[in-house]
Structures are given as C-alpha cells and as structure tokens.
C-alpha cells in the first residue's frame, strides 16, 4: 500500500505546476486586458513595452517550474550572446517543451518578454492563450498551399513599425519529430531525396516558407539568426535506440535530467536572401543539426555520446529570476478566489475570455 502511495505521488508531481500555470491564466489575462483598455489611446510602442513586461512576469513563473522545480540541468554549447538582439530563432522540433527552450535562452539574455512564436494555426483556439499569443505578436500560419504569406508580412511589418523587439521563434520542420512515427520520417526522407537534398536521420526535412517570409520581411531589422539544436538526455532505450522526447507532463514530473542546447549565432549578412538559395541554406543548417544529433545519440564512442562536441556551460537559473513572478501571480489569484465577487470574476474570465478570444481569432483568420 505504501509503495502504491509513493508511485501515485510520483505520478502527481506535474499536478502542482499545471494547477498554478493554468490557474493563474485568468489573473494574467485580466491584468493584460486592463492594460489593453488603458493603453487604447497611447502610442503602440508604450503598449508593447508594458505588454512585454507582463509577458516576462508570466513566463518567468513558467520557468520557475520548468527549471527550478524540476531541477533540470541546462548545458549550453556554442555562442549565446549576453545581450538581447532582434533575432529569428530556428530550432529542431521534437517535444511540446520546445517552446520553453526558447524561453530558457531568452531569459539568459534579458529578452524573455520579447519572445514571439510562429505557431500552427490550430493553436489559436486554445482557451485564453490562443487569442493572447496573437496579441503579443505571435503569428499563426497554415501549412503548404494555405500558407498566407501576405498576412504574415503585414503582421511583421506592423510590429517593426511599432519598434517591437523581435525574438521570433520558428520550428521549420512544421511538426514534431517522433522516432516512433516511421511513416512521417519516411515521407520526409523521401521528399528530401526527390528534391536532391541530403536525407536526414534525427530531424525532418525543413520547410522554407515561414523562415523566408520572416527573414525577407525583417532583414533590415534583424541582428542575427540563432540556429538552435536541442537534445533531451534520457531519450535512448536499452537497445541504444532513440525514444520519443519527453512531453510537457513528463518533463514536469522530472523525467528529464539534462537538456543539451547548441547555439550557432549567424550574422544576417551570411544568410542568402533569394528563396531558392535560402532553401538550400536552411537544409544545410539542418544537416549540421543532424550530425550533432547523430553524435549525441549514435556515437560509437561512449565518451562522446549524450553530449554535443565542444565545451559546455552548466547554466543554472537563479530563483531571483523566477520566484517573485510566481509569488505575484499566485498571490493575486489566491486573493481573487478568497471573495465571492472574485470567484465570479475568475470563472467569467475563463468562460467569456475564451468565447471572446475564439470569436476574435475567427474574425481575424
């Protein structure tokens, strides 16, 4: 019976962070909504500055759970600048935790509030979050022939006109790499071979549209591109084969001991502008990622496995960066829930905020 209780408690370790992260969402949306109304007649630059600060507070709380609570070890390789820049962030995609990795790097550059995502279109229907991500500068895109290039360019131009700092996160593979989905991997490899590109093993063939539109629209606004390769330690089975990367729940249950993050900073002048040349350049960057991951997962030398080549830095995030945000948002939420009027406002925010958000994104679609 005691063993059963221990196992149950072990499996429930993600409940606390999930409850806090979801539970504080209405509080955050109310704070942002109040600022949105107050700033209606103010310069957009001022609105964006405060919105970025609010976003930084919420995401700092998120990182409390994903770094301090889990105790995961962050190992950084390569060249992450200390100062924030206007960048496009390109990374391999294998887990729902991947968007947190961008936060992990951004907070180490004091750029957490500036993180914005290119997201698949279906995520716009997420309760509360779907509408807000769009308001914060996120861009929802549809795949293949339905991709609306003009809409993306217009959004990026409006952000640049407002002087919006850009830490734009793109996952060019378009979908998560899962070694168990052999049909997806096979289709990706077949497409690469047909197009005359190298066949990749540990990543999918990247798509070019969103990356090209983002770079072409912002090339005079950007400082660089960050080419980021991520590997989660503990994702190799007993036979030495790669397993599926940890889900968000598994990660919060402390099932990932280390994250290895390799960063290449690429100056914008080294990126080809024409789409055909950029397509080949992007594939070559993913070939480099693939080689790094082959070394990580498949190296015949046990000493070289489970790490990237080169020196790593063990980067630990201070509680000073995350705990205050947790206390602020959880305190405000608890205070709201202590009164009947507050509880009604809380519930109505979930219900009406979700309905209004869905209506808003459907109109904007």
């Amino acid at each position: 019976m005691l063993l059963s209780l221990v196992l149950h408690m072990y499996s429930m370790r993600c409940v606390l962070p999930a409850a806090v992260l979801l539970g504080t969402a209405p509080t955050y949306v109310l704070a942002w909504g109040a600022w949105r109304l107050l700033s209606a007649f103010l310069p957009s630059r001022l609105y964006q500055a405060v919105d970025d600060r609010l976003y930084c507070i919420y995401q700092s709380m998120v990182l409390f759970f994903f770094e301090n609570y889990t105790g995961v070890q962050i190992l950084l390789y390569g060249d992450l600048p200390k100062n924030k820049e206007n960048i496009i962030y390109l990374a391999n995609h294998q887990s729902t935790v991947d968007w947190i990795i961008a936060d992990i790097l951004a907070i180490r550059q004091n750029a957490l509030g500036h993180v914005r995502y290119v997201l698949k279109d279906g995520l716009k229907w997420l309760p509360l979050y779907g509408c807000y991500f769009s308001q914060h500068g996120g861009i929802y895109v549809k795949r293949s022939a339905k991709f609306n290039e003009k809409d993306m360019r217009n959004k990026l131009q409006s952000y640049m006109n407002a002087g919006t700092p850009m830490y734009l996160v793109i996952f060019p593979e378009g979908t998560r790499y899962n070694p168990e989905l052999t049909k997806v991997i096979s289709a990706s490899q077949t497409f690469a071979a047909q197009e005359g590109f190298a066949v990749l093993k540990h990543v999918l063939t990247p798509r070019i549209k969103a990356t090209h539109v983002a770079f072409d629209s912002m090339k005079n606004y950007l400082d660089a591109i960050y080419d980021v390769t991520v590997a989660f330690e503990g994702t190799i089975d007993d036979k030495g084969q790669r397993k599926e990367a940890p889900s968000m729940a598994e990660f919060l249950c402390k099932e990932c001991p280390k994250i290895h993050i390799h960063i290449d900073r690429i100056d914008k002048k080294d990126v080809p502008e024409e789409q055909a040349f950029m397509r080949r350049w992007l594939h070559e960057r993913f070939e480099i990622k693939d080689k790094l991951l082959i070394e990580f997962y498949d190296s015949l030398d046990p000493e070289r496995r489970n790490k990237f080549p080169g020196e790593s830095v063990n980067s630990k995030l201070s509680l000073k960066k995350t705990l205050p945000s947790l206390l602020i948002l959880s305190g405000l939420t608890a205070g709201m829930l202590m009164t009947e009027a507050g509880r009604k406002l809380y519930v109505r925010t979930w219900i009406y905020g979700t309905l209004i958000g869905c209506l808003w994104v459907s109109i904007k679609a």
Side-chain angles (χ1 to χ4, degrees):
M1 185 175 181
L2 180 60
L3 178 60
S4 177
L5 178 62
V6 170
L7 291 173
H8 181 68
M9 290 178 65
Y10 180 86
S11 67
M12 295 290 285
R13 286 184 298 175
C14 68
V15 172
L16 173 63
V20 175
L21 294 175
L22 291 174
T24 55
T27 309
Y28 179 76
V29 169
L30 282 170
W32 168 78
W35 170 240
R36 175 74 274 190
L37 290 173
L38 289 171
S39 64
F41 301 102
L42 297 176
S44 57
R45 188 184 295 264
L46 177 58
Y47 159 73
Q48 196 65 65
V50 176
D51 177 52
D52 280 11
R53 184 59 195 155
L54 289 171
Y55 187 76
C56 181
I57 291 172
Y58 184 81
Q59 294 300 336
S60 295
M61 180 190 68
V62 171
L63 287 178
F64 169 83
F65 289 107
F66 279 88
E67 289 204 51
N68 301 121
Y69 174 80
T70 62
V72 66
Q73 189 175 352
I74 306 295
L75 296 171
L76 302 181
Y77 304 74
D79 47 353
L80 179 68
K82 293 182 179 179
N83 298 322
K84 57 187 174 184
E85 303 179 286
N86 287 321
I87 62 114
I88 294 174
Y89 169 114
L90 303 175
N92 58 315
H93 192 21
Q94 57 193 314
S95 168
T96 49
V97 181
D98 288 335
W99 67 277
I100 300 292
I101 305 298
D103 287 351
I104 285 172
L105 296 183
I107 198 171
R108 286 161 171 80
Q109 295 179 277
N110 294 316
L112 185 57
H114 307 329
V115 176
R116 313 177 204 284
Y117 301 93
V118 174
L119 301 158
K120 62 182 180 182
D121 193 64
L123 292 175
K124 69 186 181 184
W125 304 111
L126 285 172
L128 298 185
Y129 295 102
C131 179
Y132 174 71
F133 280 143
S134 175
Q135 294 296 303
H136 181 66
I139 299 171
Y140 291 108
V141 297
K142 296 179 181 178
R143 294 176 181 173
S144 62
K146 295 182 178 179
F147 182 90
N148 192 328
E149 179 178 329
K150 182 179 179 182
D151 187 49
M152 184 174 179
R153 287 184 183 276
N154 289 340
K155 287 182 179 179
L156 290 171
Q157 188 61 54
S158 69
Y159 300 147
M160 290 186 289
N161 291 343
T164 305
M166 295 300 292
Y167 201 102
L168 187 65
V169 178
I170 302 176
F171 300 109
E173 290 162 283
T175 191
R176 294 194 296 272
Y177 176 97
N178 181 347
E180 297 176 6
L181 299 180
T182 55
K183 288 185 179 180
V184 174
I185 295 171
S186 178
S188 174
Q189 293 174 339
T190 299
F191 176 77
Q194 290 173 345
E195 295 295 313
F197 293 134
V199 173
L200 307 174
K201 179 180 180 182
H202 285 293
V203 290
L204 301 176
T205 303
R207 304 164 189 243
I208 187 59
K209 284 187 179 179
T211 303
H212 177 258
V213 171
F215 184 82
D216 189 57
S217 301
M218 300 194 299
K219 58 192 174 187
N220 296 323
Y221 196 74
L222 295 173
D223 296 303
I225 283 182
Y226 291 178
D227 183 9
V228 179
T229 307
V230 179
F232 298 95
E233 195 163 311
T235 53
I236 300 177
D237 63 22
D238 296 336
K239 297 179 181 180
Q241 299 298 310
R242 183 178 175 183
K243 300 187 299 183
E244 184 179 0
S247 66
M248 197 171 289
E250 290 168 338
F251 192 93
L252 289 171
C253 282
K254 308 183 182 182
E255 294 185 17
C256 179
K258 297 178 183 178
I259 305 176
H260 299 256
I261 309 174
H262 189 280
I263 309 105
D264 274 333
R265 182 191 182 278
I266 303 168
D267 195 280
K268 65 180 181 180
K269 64 180 174 53
D270 296 324
V271 181
E273 294 183 17
E274 189 176 329
Q275 183 168 335
F277 293 115
M278 182 183 285
R279 185 186 185 198
R280 182 162 293 280
W281 172 86
L282 182 62
H283 196 89
E284 289 171 354
R285 294 309 310 180
F286 269 73
E287 286 182 59
I288 294 172
K289 291 180 185 296
D290 202 42
K291 290 175 182 177
L292 287 170
L293 292 168
I294 287 172
E295 183 86 354
F296 188 92
Y297 292 112
D298 304 331
S299 177
L300 297 176
D301 183 355
E303 295 296 320
R304 298 170 65 180
R305 211 174 298 143
N306 282 323
K307 61 182 179 181
F308 290 134
E311 296 294 323
S312 65
V313 175
N314 183 7
S315 180
K316 186 173 178 59
L317 186 62
S318 169
L319 274 172
K320 293 179 181 178
K321 292 271 192 178
T322 60
L323 187 58
S325 296
L326 171 68
L327 296 176
I328 290 169
L329 286 171
S330 58
L332 288 172
T333 303
M336 186 187 304
L337 294 175
M338 289 177 67
T339 66
E340 184 178 351
R343 289 191 291 272
K344 287 181 179 179
L345 179 60
Y346 182 88
V347 172
R348 287 170 180 168
T349 301
W350 265 118
I351 296 172
Y352 296 119
T354 298
L355 293 175
I356 293 171
C358 288
L359 178 62
W360 177 261
V361 296
S362 66
I363 293 172
K364 290 291 184 177

